[in-house]
């Protein structure tokens, strides 16, 4: 069943990320990217030697693992993630739009035929109370297609805006990320459009969300999107100014303005809030989307922690001591 597959992918990704964050060597090799992956003053060669020195020496596979830890791709390739997310999201939207208009049979309808019998039996009573009778067979669950399209549209707009920012607005850098992180990003943006709408088509008892939930989700979505845009462009301006500086010592400065006064990574916080807003617009029914949110919290939480540590090491007492990593006034 598609929802169990998607949830399993999120659980596996989160487990791997947390496991790699524990050990210093795997953290440096596979988790960190961009400015936190290596000191700009050291260069790639020194960083590779440090990774080789940190690698464990007890197993014969060490050389291969050390080699793999050094395989990186440009961080500028982030736009690939958003392109994949936008394309997959649009394909799913077209599929669902045809199903909503009654012109075609959605491919996602097939997942309702793969629901385990025990799961259907447990959900049958709830489904009868919602649909008003038992005449709806398990293979033809009534789905609020327009609500699913609304949440999917919110997702597509989000990744399209991020695609535009990374291609047109974000200055190019020499920063790198591990090839495994690149693969994780591609997988994430393939499965997330499915996670947004899967429950609406696969879970009995899914109903049209109330109007207040849709409006609240849209309002929260707009708020988070606006602040994320502002925070991204604060970073873009700082990066553009840094590119004209010749001294490594002054290449980075402390970001300030908007939500940076509260946390070190407000753009990560806004990313999480955006997915929460999509879940809200779905009437808090998209359980698979909760798994998406959990993975996003784990992934961005780890990155926010690494970024916070990097800022404090880089700027020392100049960095605002009361500024949290991700959650204002908490952490």
């Amino acid at each position: 069943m598609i929802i169990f597959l998607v949830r399993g992918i999120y659980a596996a990704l989160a487990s791997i990320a947390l496991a790699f964050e524990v050990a210093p060597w795997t953290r440096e090799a596979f988790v960190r990217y961009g400015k936190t992956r290596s000191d700009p003053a050291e260069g790639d060669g020194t960083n590779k030697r440090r990774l080789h020195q940190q690698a464990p020496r007890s197993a014969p596979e060490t050389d291969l693992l050390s080699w793999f830890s050094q395989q990186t791709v440009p961080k500028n390739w982030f736009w690939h993630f958003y392109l994949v997310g936008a394309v997959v999201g649009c394909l799913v939207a077209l599929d669902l739009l045809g199903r909503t208009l009654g012109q075609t049979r959605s491919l996602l309808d097939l997942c309702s035929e793969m629901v385990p019998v025990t799961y259907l039996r447990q959900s049958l009573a709830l489904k009868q109370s919602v649909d008003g009778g038992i005449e709806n067979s398990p293979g033809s669950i009534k789905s609020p297609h327009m609500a699913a399209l609304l949440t999917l549209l919110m997702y597509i707009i989000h990744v399209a805006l991020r695609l535009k920012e990374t291609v047109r607005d974000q200055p190019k850098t020499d920063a790198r990320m591990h090839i495994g992180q690149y693969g994780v990003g591609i997988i994430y943006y393939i499965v997330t459009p499915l996670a947004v709408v899967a429950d609406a088509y696969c879970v009995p008892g899914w109903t049209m969300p109330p109007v207040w939930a849709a409006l609240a989700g849209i309002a929260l979505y707009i708020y988070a999107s606006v602040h994320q845009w502002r925070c991204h462009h604060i970073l873009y301006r700082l990066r553009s100014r840094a590119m004209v500086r010749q001294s490594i010592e002054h290449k980075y400065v402390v970001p300030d303005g908007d939500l940076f006064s509260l946390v070190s990574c407000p753009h990560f916080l806004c990313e999480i809030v955006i997915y929460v807003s999509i879940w809200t617009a779905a009437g808090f029914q998209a359980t698979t989307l909760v798994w998406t949110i959990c993975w996003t919290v784990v992934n961005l939480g780890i990155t926010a922690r690494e970024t916070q540590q990097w800022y404090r090491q880089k700027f020392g007492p100049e960095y605002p001591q009361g500024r949290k990593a991700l959650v204002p006034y908490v952490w």
Side-chain angles (χ1 to χ4, degrees), residues 3 30 124 188 250 310:
I3 58 175
F30 302 110
L124 185 58
Y188 171 81
H250 299 95
W310 184 89

Side-chain angles (χ1 to χ4, degrees), residues 9 48 103 170 183 233 255 259:
I9 290 174
K48 289 181 179 180
Q103 297 175 353
Q170 180 175 302
H233 282 264
L259 297 179

Side-chain angles (χ1 to χ4, degrees), residues 220-237:
L220 186 61
Y221 175 86
I222 294 174
Y223 175 85
S225 298
V226 169
H227 281 282
Q228 187 180 58
W229 184 90
R230 291 177 178 174
C231 293
H232 278 151
H233 282 264
I234 289 173
L235 294 176
Y236 297 161
R237 287 193 295 270

Side-chain angles (χ1 to χ4, degrees), residues 2-3 6 88 92 108 152 190-199 288:
I2 189 171
I3 58 175
V6 172
V88 175
V92 174
L108 289 183
L152 188 57
I190 288 175
V191 302
T192 299
L194 300 176
V196 172
V197 300
D199 289 273
T288 303

Side-chain angles (χ1 to χ4, degrees), residues 56-65:
R57 297 292 176 183
S58 58
E61 298 84 0
T62 296
D63 291 338
L64 179 60
L65 186 59

Side-chain angles (χ1 to χ4, degrees), residues 1-8 108 111-112 114 194-195 198 202 288:
M1 184 178 179
I2 189 171
I3 58 175
F4 295 143
L5 174 62
V6 172
R7 294 174 186 180
L108 289 183
C111 71
S112 66
M114 295 186 288
L194 300 176
C202 301
T288 303

Side-chain angles (χ1 to χ4, degrees), residues 33 44 46 53 55 72 108 128 143 165 184-185 202 206 279 327:
Y33 66 91
D44 289 340
T46 303
Q53 292 169 359
T72 61
L108 289 183
Q128 290 177 9
S143 301
E165 284 185 333
V184 168
C202 301
W206 217 89
W279 177 58
V327 183

